[in-house]
C-alpha cells in the first residue's frame, strides 16, 4: 500500500476563501519513506483572490511579508504533481495514494481547492477516496475509554503518547502524526502485523 501523510498550514479555515502557505508530506511505500518535503506556497499567487486572516498566520508564527516571498503557487503545484506522477500511475485505478493525517478532512479540502485553482480536475487520479484520519481514530479510542486526555488536540495526544512535536509547523505536525499513528496501531490493534507487505495489511 502507498501512503501519503499530509499536513497543511493555511491563511484561514475555509478552502473556498483561503489558501495554503505550507504543505508538508511524506510518501511511504511498505513502511519505507520514499520522499519527504515541506513546500512553502505564496497564497497571494493563487488564481483566485485569497483572504488572509492575521490570526491564522499568528498561529504558525508567520507574517504577510514572509509568506509573500514564498515560491509561487503554480510552480509548487506543478512540482507536487510531478512528484506524484513519479510515485503512482494516475491511469491505474488500483494504484492510488491513501491520505493519512490528523483531522485530514481539513487538509484534503485545501488540497482539492488547490487542484481546482490550478485547473486540474484529477485529484482522484492520484488519491484514494479512503482516507485514514488519525483524529477520528483517537476520538473512537476516547469514546471506548482507552484514552483520557483533556482535549483531542494533536499536541495533547502526542504528549500523552510521548511523541515529540513542534506544534503548528507542518513538517513537525505530520512527522508526529505518523509516529502517533504507528504507536496507536501498535498499542490498540496488536493483531495488525505492520511488518507485513501483503495487500491486506501494510507498514505505516
Amino acid at each position: 500500500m502507498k501512503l501519503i501523510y499530509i499536513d497543511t498550514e493555511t491563511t484561514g479555515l475555509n478552502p473556498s476563501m483561503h489558501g495554503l502557505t505550507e504543505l508538508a508530506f511524506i510518501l511511504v511505500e511498505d513502511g519505507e519513506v520514499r520522499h519527504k518535503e515541506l513546500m512553502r506556497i505564496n497564497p497571494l499567487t493563487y488564481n483566485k483572490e485569497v483572504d488572509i486572516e492575521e490570526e491564522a498566520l499568528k498561529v504558525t508564527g508567520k507574517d504577510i511579508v514572509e509568506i509573500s516571498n514564498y515560491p509561487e503557487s503554480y510552480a509548487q503545484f506543478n512540482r507536487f504533481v510531478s512528484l506524484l506522477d513519479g510515485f503512482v500511475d494516475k491511469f491505474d485505478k488500483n494504484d492510488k495514494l491513501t491520505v493519512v493525517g490528523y483531522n485530514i478532512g481539513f487538509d484534503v479540502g485545501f488540497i482539492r481547492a488547490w487542484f481546482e485553482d490550478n485547473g486540474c480536475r484529477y485529484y482522484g487520479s492520484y488519491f484514494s477516496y479512503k482516507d485514514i484520519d488519525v483524529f477520528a481514530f483517537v476520538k473512537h479510542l476516547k469514546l471506548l475509554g482507552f484514552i483520557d486526555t483533556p482535549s483531542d488536540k494533536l499536541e495533547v495526544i502526542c504528549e500523552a503518547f510521548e511523541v515529540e512535536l513542534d506544534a503548528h509547523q507542518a513538517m513537525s505536525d505530520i512527522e508526529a502524526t505518523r509516529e502517533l499513528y504507528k504507536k496507536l496501531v501498535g498499542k490498540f490493534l496488536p493483531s495488525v502485523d505492520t511488518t507485513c507487505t501483503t495487500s491486506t495489511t501494510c507498514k505505516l
Side-chain angles (χ1 to χ4, degrees):
M1 183 181 289
K2 296 176 181 178
L3 307 175
I4 182 167
Y5 290 80
I6 284 180
D7 187 78
T8 62
E9 300 298 338
T10 68
T11 67
L13 301 177
N14 187 338
S16 66
M17 296 169 52
H18 303 113
L20 296 168
T21 58
E22 287 187 356
L23 166 61
F25 59 97
I26 307 171
L27 290 164
V28 176
E29 185 174 13
D30 290 333
E32 298 295 325
V33 174
R34 302 300 186 191
H35 186 82
K36 178 167 70 172
E37 187 168 338
L38 170 63
M39 286 186 168
R40 292 189 166 94
I41 300 157
N42 182 349
L44 301 174
T45 60
Y46 268 53
N47 292 306
K48 68 180 181 183
E49 186 175 345
V50 170
D51 288 345
I52 298 176
E53 294 185 2
E54 220 175 287
E55 190 58 35
L57 296 185
K58 261 187 207 176
V59 167
T60 58
K62 307 292 190 300
D63 59 41
I64 189 68
V65 174
E66 181 176 350
I67 65 170
S68 65
N69 286 306
Y70 287 170
E72 294 188 346
S73 173
Y74 78 92
Q76 294 292 63
F77 178 80
N78 289 339
R79 172 168 170 70
F80 183 58
V81 169
S82 178
L83 287 167
L84 297 180
D85 281 329
F87 200 68
V88 297
D89 180 356
K90 63 184 177 184
F91 300 109
D92 182 351
K93 67 180 181 179
N94 296 313
D95 188 19
K96 304 301 172 203
L97 286 160
T98 298
V99 183
V100 190
Y102 202 85
N103 193 21
I104 194 60
F106 176 86
D107 304 283
V108 165
F110 274 91
I111 300 295
R112 283 185 176 275
W114 196 37
F115 268 66
E116 291 170 8
D117 189 69
N118 283 279
C120 180
R121 296 175 297 167
Y122 304 113
Y123 174 92
S125 297
Y126 297 101
F127 303 106
S128 169
Y129 70 92
K130 293 177 283 188
D131 302 326
I132 297 174
D133 189 349
V134 182
F135 178 51
F137 189 21
V138 166
K139 288 193 294 182
H140 192 183
L141 291 170
K142 290 191 82 170
L143 181 66
L144 295 174
F146 292 119
I147 297 176
D148 182 16
T149 56
S151 86
D152 302 331
K153 288 183 178 180
L154 179 60
E155 53 264 44
V156 174
I157 304 300
C158 282
E159 183 178 3
F161 286 89
E162 299 181 334
V163 174
E164 189 176 339
L165 169 65
D166 181 10
H168 302 299
Q169 304 302 314
M171 182 53 75
S172 178
D173 283 354
I174 201 55
E175 288 177 330
T177 296
R178 183 178 179 228
E179 184 60 27
L180 174 64
Y181 183 45
K182 288 162 69 175
K183 282 196 170 189
L184 292 176
V185 169
K187 183 175 177 64
F188 296 107
L189 298 175
S191 62
V192 174
D193 180 6
T194 57
T195 65
C196 177
T197 57
T198 68
S199 59
T200 54
T201 59
C202 69
K203 290 185 179 181
L204 306 174

